[in-house]
């Protein structure tokens, strides 16, 4: 058996890279496993304007490249692979992919999440070009323009209210005739003069060459189609899907998100979680990197407290 790493970090988004920087700098032997390109969800974000120090705004790609270089400079190793199996309650823990098994004394799950998508034609190609899943990130780009918000839950309604700071008007498109959001949140939205509602409506198709130019809506009652054209933004908040299926039944979860304490400890000793995959209220780069740092420091503390039997 190969010598176990002090820590294997699953995921190389901001949370995983931050954990790698802290673990590497503490001279822990560190392996980062990433299934796709490093960077997670922010790799496709053109401008990150709300991460402290990222001003003038830089692209997600550039920010991630710098984080990754920093992690490597502190000695973290990187490997590409889609983790397909883990054993977390054994010593050492195992992380497997591509037919190879890697061993670790601690594991940090920083596998991230992805916003649920409408799944209509045009959505993928226009993401980042008029279609967004993050009001905090992209709201300011729609200053003075109309925006549409898809969804009827807490996130959609709260983010719609946030978007009224920038947009000339905000229209919530909901597939039913009543909101799922908490009553207190609904009341604030109904009282907001900038917010209106398109009930019993779904988005059928999004069109545009380089940027969102038109949107086809369907009335779910009578099936009529309406086309919205012009310069506008579309924000989609129909739930967040954590990338945690692999850990189901292995660590405690709530609605698919991993439960941690303030030290990022999961229900399994020596296993930590950081970033969007865990239960939390604000999913942003700034909170992901904070989680990653805390998880790495907690992993180091765990190693100090459990110096045997490794
Ligand atoms: P959510 O509560 O699951 O709501 C998702 C909304 O999207 C629902 O209105 C749903 O419609 C709609 N939807 C789902 N799939 C759709 C589709 N394919 N097409 C069109 N509409 C679709 O998700 P969330 O708002 O992201 O909230 C997630 C969790 O975080 C919730 O537990 C929420 O309470 C919590 N949260 C809390 C706060 C807060 O407390 N301030 C803020 C944000 C989020 P239906 O209603 O018809 O199902």
């Amino acid at each position: 058996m190969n010598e176990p790493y002090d820590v294997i970090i699953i995921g190389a988004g901001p949370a995983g890279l931050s954990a790698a920087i802290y673990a590497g700098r503490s001279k822990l032997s560190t392996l980062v496993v990433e299934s796709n390109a490093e960077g997670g969800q922010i790799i496709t974000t053109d401008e990150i304007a709300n991460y402290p120090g990222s001003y003038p705004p830089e692209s997600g790609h550039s920010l991630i490249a710098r984080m990754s270089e920093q992690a490597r400079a502190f000695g973290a190793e990187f490997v590409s692979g889609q983790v397909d199996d883990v054993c977390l309650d054994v010593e050492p823990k195992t992380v497997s992919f591509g037919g190879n098994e890697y061993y670790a004394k601690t594991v940090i799950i920083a596998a991230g999440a992805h916003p649920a998508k409408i799944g209509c034609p045009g959505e993928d190609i226009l993401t980042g070009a008029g279609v967004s899943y993050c009001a905090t990130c992209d709201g300011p780009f729609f200053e003075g323009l109309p925006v549409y918000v898809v969804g009827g839950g807490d996130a959609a309604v709260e983010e719609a209210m946030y978007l009224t700071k920038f947009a000339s008007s905000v229209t919530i498109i909901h597939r039913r005739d009543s909101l799922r959001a908490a009553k207190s949140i609904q009341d604030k939205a109904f009282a907001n003069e900038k917010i209106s509602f398109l009930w019993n409506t779904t988005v059928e198709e999004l069109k545009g060459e380089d940027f969102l130019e038109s949107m086809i809506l369907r009335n779910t009652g009578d099936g009529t189609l309406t086309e919205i054209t012009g310069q506008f933004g579309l924000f989609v908040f129909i739930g967040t899907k954590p990338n945690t299926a692999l850990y189901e039944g292995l660590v405690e979860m709530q609605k698919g998100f991993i439960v941690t304490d303030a030290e990022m400890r999961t229900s399994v000793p020596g296993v930590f979680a950081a970033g969007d995959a865990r239960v939390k209220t604000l999913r942003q780069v700034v909170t992901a990197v904070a989680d990653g740092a805390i998880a790495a420091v907690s992993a180091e503390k765990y190693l100090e407290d459990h110096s045997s039997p490794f």
Side-chain angles (χ1 to χ4, degrees):
M1 187 176 83
N2 295 327
E3 185 70 15
Y5 285 90
D6 287 327
V7 55
I8 290 183
I9 298 165
I10 302 173
L17 291 174
S18 170
I21 290 165
Y22 274 75
R25 193 153 187 254
S26 290
K27 303 212 178 299
L28 305 183
S29 58
T30 303
L31 180 70
V32 182
V33 188
E34 173 60 43
S35 56
N36 298 310
E38 287 162 28
Q41 296 168 81
I42 67 158
I43 204 74
T44 55
T45 305
D46 278 346
E47 283 194 358
I48 300 202
N50 57 1
Y51 182 64
S54 170
Y55 194 83
E58 71 180 303
S59 69
H61 188 272
S62 151
L63 182 61
I64 285 297
R66 292 193 296 115
M67 286 185 191
S68 174
E69 191 183 348
Q70 198 174 359
R72 285 175 160 85
F74 286 127
E77 293 173 36
F78 284 71
V79 64
S80 271
Q82 173 80 44
V83 175
D84 48 33
D85 195 22
V86 288
C87 286
L88 300 177
D89 55 357
V90 292
E91 304 299 348
K93 303 170 190 314
T94 62
V95 173
S96 311
F97 54 92
N100 297 312
E101 213 165 53
Y102 293 80
Y103 305 98
K105 299 171 188 173
T106 64
V107 170
I108 297 176
I109 303 168
H114 58 278
K117 296 203 159 196
I118 304 168
C120 70
E123 184 180 16
D124 284 342
I125 197 131
L126 291 166
T127 293
V131 178
S132 172
Y133 303 84
C134 177
T136 323
C137 318
D138 297 329
F141 300 129
F142 295 90
E143 185 81 51
L145 293 172
V147 304
Y148 293 79
V149 168
V150 185
D154 288 345
V157 180
E158 283 201 331
E159 298 305 308
M161 284 189 285
Y162 174 78
L163 286 165
T164 60
K165 289 174 192 247
F166 314 101
S168 56
S169 65
V170 177
T171 307
I172 295 178
I173 301 169
H174 186 35
R175 63 184 179 183
R176 295 187 292 121
D177 63 358
S178 63
L179 298 172
R180 178 180 294 279
K183 179 82 170 50
S184 57
I185 299 175
Q186 291 191 30
D187 289 347
K188 282 189 203 155
F190 289 137
N192 192 316
E193 287 178 355
K194 272 189 163 181
I195 297 181
S196 58
F197 295 84
L198 275 173
W199 302 109
N200 301 312
T201 302
T202 54
V203 177
E204 291 295 298
E205 188 176 356
L206 301 169
K207 298 187 214 170
E209 284 291 314
D210 299 320
F211 207 82
L212 177 63
E213 289 166 7
S214 107
M215 163 168 79
I216 311 280
L217 303 178
R218 177 185 294 275
N219 181 298
T220 57
D222 57 18
T224 30
L225 299 178
T226 314
E227 184 165 17
I228 309 274
T229 55
Q231 215 185 342
F232 63 94
L234 181 71
F235 287 80
V236 181
F237 302 107
I238 57 174
T240 302
K241 306 276 183 214
N243 303 324
T244 56
L246 190 62
Y247 313 99
E248 204 71 56
L250 303 182
V251 295
E252 188 188 343
M253 294 201 194
Q254 265 175 23
K255 295 182 180 170
F257 292 92
I258 299 171
V259 175
T260 69
D261 64 9
E263 311 307 320
M264 306 300 140
R265 289 181 290 220
T266 69
S267 55
V268 178
V271 178
F272 306 84
D276 286 9
R278 74 179 192 94
V279 174
K280 62 193 296 188
T281 51
L282 182 65
R283 293 192 166 83
Q284 292 280 291
V285 179
V286 71
T287 59
V289 297
D291 285 1
I294 294 168
V297 171
S298 295
E300 186 181 8
K301 174 89 175 48
Y302 177 88
L303 290 167
E304 285 165 9
D305 294 347
H306 297 77
S307 49
S308 63
F310 305 131

